[in-house]
Amino acid sequence: MFKKREILRFVRGITWSLLIVSLCWLSNAKAALAHRPHDVIEQVEVSANYAQDQTVFIIVRGNLFKSNDGGESWQRLVKGLDHQAKLSALSLAAQTKKLYVSTLGDGVYKSENGGESWVRANKGLETLQIDRLSASPYSANFVLAAGAEKGLYRTENGGQAWESILNSDRKISEIAYFPDDPNRVIIGDSQGNVLVSADRGKTWQPELSIKGSGAIETIAISPNFPSDNTFWVGTEKKGIFKTSDRGVSFTEINQGLSGGAIEDIIVSPNSPQDSTVFVSTWDEAIFQLNDDSQTWKKYSDGITKDSQADVPKFSTPHFYELGMSETFDTDKTVFLGGFDGLFKSTDSGSNWQQMETLSIGTVIGLDISPNYENDSTLALATYVGNIYISHDKGETWQNVTDGLEVPRFTKNFKKPHQDPRRFFDIAFSPNYASDQTLFSSVLYTDILRTTNDGQFWKIVSLHKGGRGLTIAPSPNFATDNTVYASNQPGIVFKSTNGGKKFSIVGKIGKVKGNDPPSLIISPDFAADKTLYASGKEGVYQSVDAGKTWKALTKGTELMDRGNIQLAISPDYKSDRTVLAGTGSGIFETQDAGKTWVKLDGTAYGGSAYIQGVALSPNYASDRTFIASVRGKGLFKTADGGQTFASIGNGSIALAKMIGPPSAGVPIQFSPSYASDRTIYGFGASTTKVFKSTDAGETWETITIPRVDNNQYSLATQAQLVGVVYRGKILRIGLALVSAILSYFISGKIGLEKRLPLSKSQLKAIASLGVFAAALIVLFAI
């Protein structure tokens, strides 16, 4: 009996130890509130009437956003902005609704209604690569613009005509205006020179030259300049210089300042009273000047950085522009743009709050059930963290992410740097009515699969590097269980068991830039085994179910086009038609890819940036497809692309947001379009879907309430403990078995006769020693 009690005590002790450890893990399995992907805010412009209108503009990852509530919510500005090149600078004309925005390839755009619509304003510009822009505070029509490489241009009629006013080979890096004279302008260049003009830019005089300073990054002039004669010059390599005698002499004021290149300097509008000056630098933010000691003090509570900015291929500033309320003396409001997002302070910079700009709820993928006429079902995925399903045509939505909890991806409960659930695509099984199967994907290497209408998802890892997985289920999925996926490096994957496992079937080369891969399957796939995909040399085709691929567009105009989005005719067996929407128009083949023709597209401009293209499911009879054109809205053809007509509202863009990676097709026809005339789309700056029930002529907006799916129930937490610690529990179990065996074996070999130990002591020491050694070995392998 003694031995049995001893054994039971030993086993019970080890078991309770394991239980206590498990309970500790369980109690700590809380929500993994991950940082969202970084939102690069390169420019912030605050309305001159901020106290009344709470208006802020930002350029965020190539998108122009406007907020009318101090940055709490944002509207994407698109109408008229048909640019293909990157947005580079924004300038607000004081006390008006006139704005100017420049690009690195499409010149300058102007808005006269607060950004709601835009027109190009390029006449007279010798280059369309403009990266610096500044409107005079005295006249909304007087603007200076600097070329990305060289040159300075002036307009005095609001962009109707520009003239070159400086032919220097040096790049102009900064432009500012003096508050005491509407004719005085100051600029800085890329080699540390500061020049001043007293005649609105017609002639220039040197003001300051700082050897070894690099570029003049910013110039800030005191609002009280007529009496204090002060302005500051921020440089790339030598910090800040200040003059208090209108530029006769300059003094370095860098005490307490750190963080490399000066990015921006901003002065309080009430500087005669509060003497507030803020500075942002490449690596640090934000500094405020103590006027008495001329020493900078750092204020950074709440400001975050993202290490990705330091990666060599990016090597970009952590912080950019500052923006300040004109009533800073009373509301204490200042904004800071950074690589990691937009920050706002309402207490003079002492504390900062990160604002959401590119919403994690932005829709990146939408699909319609093939049985929509009967089940009224839609599914969508957001930028980060959520998948929703509606069974009533979008009236109500259910968040369906069970099985997609963060620890299932990370295999731990640590707070990840970024949420791994950055969704990329979503697609229904063609046999959804029977199998209740949907597929989704995340940005890196994982396919997601549910066979119960989203009630629980399983993660299928492809274990291959490369961003972006576009999903294409076979139209014969009910019988062949086949699903394809392709990624940005040009790897094509195939599953023949319903998506449980994938293998590589082809490599077609990396798509251009950061474009998502496009992948489509012939509706007659069972017979023709045909797929199309975008890759290194444009459009590729396989006629043997993906075993081999042929570049169809090598050496053609289409090969050089980016942002290829493919769409295949539902009647492909007869008409052999495929469309390729690109960053420079729509191309069509009517002979299965042998030849391609660029559609005229006079209505929208044949070389416009196509953001989405989709064909009617009844294309054989109605000859209808719709294209979303950047800056110009939606266009529909009912004659197979011979003519187009504008439909809908030009302020609505059915288009993937610039920045968040997405393979989603932003225009989706109802499978029963012939009878219900219904089309869905996405492209808003928040979790919204657009719906039309009159073939695209008018649209309603459906808002989906965002759900926090990081709060796990006790049952889910218990599941996650098993997922995360399964390997550890197995190792501990093996160590425990080894300890129990050693307990019995050590009692049989008689070592207690040779050692000054009792048998019970020897067995206890042996079992604990083996347990510890086994743990060390098992966790080392």
Side-chain angles (χ1 to χ4, degrees):
M1 290 295 296
F2 177 78
K3 289 184 178 180
K4 286 183 179 179
R5 283 199 303 271
E6 192 176 353
I7 292 169
L8 287 171
R9 279 199 304 270
F10 174 77
V11 173
R12 201 160 46 233
I14 293 294
T15 302
W16 275 108
S17 298
L18 286 173
L19 181 60
I20 290 168
V21 171
S22 297
L23 287 171
C24 289
W25 283 334
L26 183 60
S27 65
N28 288 321
K30 295 179 181 178
L33 299 176
H35 183 275
R36 64 181 179 273
H38 60 84
D39 299 342
V40 182
I41 312 294
E42 295 183 350
Q43 188 158 5
V44 183
E45 290 289 332
V46 180
S47 164
N49 302 308
Y50 179 80
Q52 289 76 42
D53 60 27
Q54 296 288 290
T55 297
V56 186
F57 295 86
I58 58 172
I59 294 178
V60 49
R61 295 185 73 178
N63 302 280
L64 180 58
F65 277 14
K66 177 182 181 180
S67 173
N68 291 321
D69 53 14
E72 294 297 326
S73 63
W74 299 91
Q75 171 194 356
R76 183 185 184 190
L77 302 179
V78 295
K79 191 173 183 179
L81 288 175
D82 58 353
H83 60 100
Q84 297 193 26
K86 180 183 177 183
L87 298 179
S88 55
L90 173 70
S91 185
L92 280 60
Q95 306 300 327
T96 74
K97 290 190 174 183
K98 191 171 290 187
L99 295 84
Y100 301 87
V101 68
S102 63
T103 70
L104 295 177
D106 297 292
V108 176
Y109 292 81
K110 178 178 70 173
S111 172
E112 295 188 352
N113 55 8
E116 296 302 314
S117 62
W118 299 79
V119 294
R120 292 201 190 202
N122 289 333
K123 186 178 180 181
L125 287 176
E126 296 172 359
T127 177
L128 296 182
Q129 295 192 45
I130 304 296
D131 76 343
R132 181 68 63 171
L133 192 70
S134 183
S136 166
Y138 300 102
S139 169
N141 292 319
F142 178 38
V143 187
L144 295 182
E149 296 181 354
K150 63 178 181 178
L152 184 65
Y153 304 88
R154 177 184 69 175
T155 180
E156 296 213 48
N157 53 18
Q160 294 181 42
W162 295 84
E163 62 175 316
S164 175
I165 56 173
L166 193 63
N167 293 319
S168 169
D169 288 337
R170 296 169 182 172
K171 171 180 161 52
I172 304 305
S173 52
E174 175 63 326
I175 304 167
Y177 298 88
F178 286 93
D180 63 336
D181 186 343
N183 297 314
R184 282 175 60 83
V185 186
I186 185 169
I187 61 173
D189 69 21
S190 59
Q191 297 185 27
N193 300 299
V194 178
L195 297 90
V196 173
S197 172
D199 52 13
R200 298 168 75 87
K202 294 177 182 178
T203 60
W204 296 89
Q205 302 298 322
E207 179 83 359
L208 172 68
S209 182
I210 310 171
K211 292 182 179 180
S213 69
I216 302 298
E217 297 288 357
T218 181
I219 299 172
I221 302 174
S222 167
N224 199 39
F225 183 79
S227 59
D228 65 21
N229 303 310
T230 297
F231 65 88
W232 294 260
V233 176
T235 69
E236 180 184 6
K237 298 178 181 179
K238 288 198 171 181
I240 297 175
F241 293 80
K242 176 184 177 182
T243 178
S244 297
D245 53 17
R246 303 179 71 87
V248 175
S249 61
F250 287 85
T251 304
E252 288 189 44
I253 50 165
N254 293 320
Q255 188 172 342
L257 200 60
S258 63
I262 304 302
E263 291 299 317
D264 200 13
I265 305 173
I266 195 166
V267 186
S268 166
N270 196 44
S271 62
Q273 283 71 44
D274 61 27
S275 302
T276 300
V277 182
F278 288 116
V279 167
S280 63
T281 68
W282 178 290
D283 197 52
E284 299 289 346
I286 179 176
F287 295 90
Q288 183 173 344
L289 184 64
N290 183 310
D291 199 50
D292 294 330
S293 65
Q294 293 296 292
T295 300
W296 297 97
K297 181 180 179 181
K298 185 177 176 181
Y299 291 84
S300 59
D301 285 353
I303 294 176
T304 61
K305 299 199 299 186
D306 190 313
S307 59
Q308 191 174 3
D310 299 319
V311 174
K313 71 175 181 178
F314 294 109
S315 189
T316 190
H318 281 279
F319 302 102
Y320 294 95
E321 280 204 355
L322 293 155
M324 183 179 284
S325 166
E326 283 294 314
T327 52
F328 177 78
D329 59 321
T330 56
D331 62 30
K332 311 298 183 186
T333 298
V334 60
F335 293 87
L336 168 67
F339 185 85
D340 205 32
L342 179 69
F343 302 89
K344 178 182 179 181
S345 172
T346 54
D347 58 4
S348 302
S350 295
N351 296 279
W352 294 84
Q353 173 191 359
Q354 187 169 22
M355 314 300 290
E356 184 174 75
T357 54
L358 273 178
S359 170
I360 61 174
T362 299
V363 178
I364 60 89
L366 171 71
D367 201 16
I368 304 177
S369 164
N371 194 38
Y372 177 79
E373 186 174 15
N374 298 312
D375 63 24
S376 305
T377 297
L378 310 166
L380 66 84
T382 67
Y383 182 20
V384 181
N386 286 100
I387 294 177
Y388 297 92
I389 287 180
S390 170
H391 294 299
D392 53 13
K393 300 182 180 181
E395 292 296 320
T396 60
W397 296 82
Q398 177 189 2
N399 175 54
V400 288
T401 49
D402 284 355
L404 301 179
E405 297 83 8
V406 171
R408 294 186 190 271
F409 290 88
T410 62
K411 297 297 185 290
N412 61 61
F413 289 109
K414 295 178 181 178
K415 180 180 178 181
H417 175 59
Q418 290 189 356
D419 196 316
R421 299 165 304 175
R422 296 178 62 180
F423 297 117
F424 193 75
D425 200 6
I426 192 164
F428 280 95
S429 156
N431 192 43
Y432 174 74
S434 299
D435 62 27
Q436 297 290 284
T437 296
L438 291 94
F439 299 94
S440 187
S441 64
V442 294
L443 185 57
Y444 291 100
T445 69
D446 292 326
I447 297 285
L448 315 174
R449 173 176 169 266
T450 176
T451 56
N452 56 5
D453 193 33
Q455 296 310 303
F456 191 83
W457 295 80
K458 292 185 179 179
I459 303 168
V460 182
S461 180
L462 303 187
H463 302 293
K464 297 292 180 183
R467 289 163 56 96
L469 286 162
T470 301
I471 308 163
S474 163
N476 315 108
F477 184 78
T479 54
D480 64 19
N481 288 306
T482 297
V483 187
Y484 289 89
S486 63
N487 63 14
Q488 286 176 305
I491 302 174
V492 181
F493 302 87
K494 180 181 180 181
S495 170
T496 55
N497 59 3
K500 297 176 184 177
K501 185 177 180 181
F502 287 79
S503 58
I504 295 174
V505 292
K507 295 183 180 180
I508 57 178
K510 185 181 184 302
V511 295
K512 293 185 181 298
N514 198 32
D515 293 345
S518 187
L519 179 65
I520 55 174
I521 302 182
S522 165
D524 196 37
F525 181 73
D528 62 26
K529 306 299 181 187
T530 297
L531 301 95
Y532 290 87
S534 61
K536 183 178 181 180
E537 295 178 331
V539 181
Y540 289 74
Q541 181 194 62
S542 172
V543 293
D544 55 10
K547 294 177 183 177
T548 61
W549 293 83
K550 177 183 178 182
L552 300 176
T553 54
K554 185 176 181 179
T556 70
E557 181 184 4
L558 188 50
M559 173 183 171
D560 299 323
R561 297 293 178 262
N563 190 46
I564 294 176
Q565 298 181 58
L566 301 172
I568 194 164
S569 167
D571 197 37
Y572 175 79
K573 180 179 180 179
S574 300
D575 61 28
R576 319 301 280 171
T577 295
V578 178
L579 299 179
T582 75
S584 184
I586 302 173
F587 293 78
E588 179 186 46
T589 178
Q590 294 183 357
D591 55 14
K594 294 178 182 177
T595 60
W596 295 81
V597 176
K598 187 175 184 180
L599 299 184
D600 177 61
T602 302
Y604 58 79
S607 296
Y609 195 110
I610 306 301
Q611 300 182 118
V613 62
L615 291 103
S616 160
N618 318 297
Y619 184 71
S621 57
D622 64 21
R623 307 292 292 162
T624 295
F625 67 83
I626 292 177
S628 175
V629 184
R630 180 176 289 178
K632 298 182 179 181
L634 297 177
F635 290 82
K636 182 168 72 173
T637 177
D639 54 17
Q642 295 181 50
T643 60
F644 289 85
S646 175
I647 60 171
N649 184 344
S651 63
I652 292 177
L654 299 191
K656 293 172 283 191
M657 193 75 64
I658 302 171
S662 165
V665 178
I667 307 168
Q668 297 277 347
F669 281 88
S670 161
S672 49
Y673 174 74
S675 57
D676 62 26
R677 315 302 284 168
T678 296
I679 308 168
Y680 289 92
F682 64 87
S685 57
T686 55
T687 316
K688 294 180 180 179
V689 171
F690 301 108
K691 178 181 180 180
S692 172
T693 54
D694 57 7
E697 294 300 324
T698 61
W699 295 81
E700 65 174 302
T701 302
I702 300 171
T703 300
I704 296 94
R706 232 163 73 189
V707 176
D708 179 4
N709 59 11
N710 283 309
Q711 302 300 321
Y712 310 140
S713 67
L714 189 63
T716 299
Q717 290 186 42
Q719 289 179 1
L720 295 178
V721 167
V723 169
V724 172
Y725 296 112
R726 181 167 50 201
K728 293 180 180 178
I729 291 171
L730 287 173
R731 289 181 173 91
I732 292 172
L734 287 173
L736 180 59
V737 170
S738 300
I740 293 172
L741 289 174
S742 69
Y743 183 88
F744 289 109
I745 293 171
S746 62
K748 299 292 184 181
I749 58 179
L751 281 176
E752 73 278 1
K753 298 175 182 178
R754 304 177 187 179
L755 298 172
L757 295 170
S758 67
K759 181 179 285 191
S760 60
Q761 289 174 329
L762 178 66
K763 288 192 290 185
I765 292 171
S767 61
L768 289 174
V770 168
F771 183 69
L775 284 178
I776 293 171
V777 172
L778 289 169
F779 278 91
I781 59 175

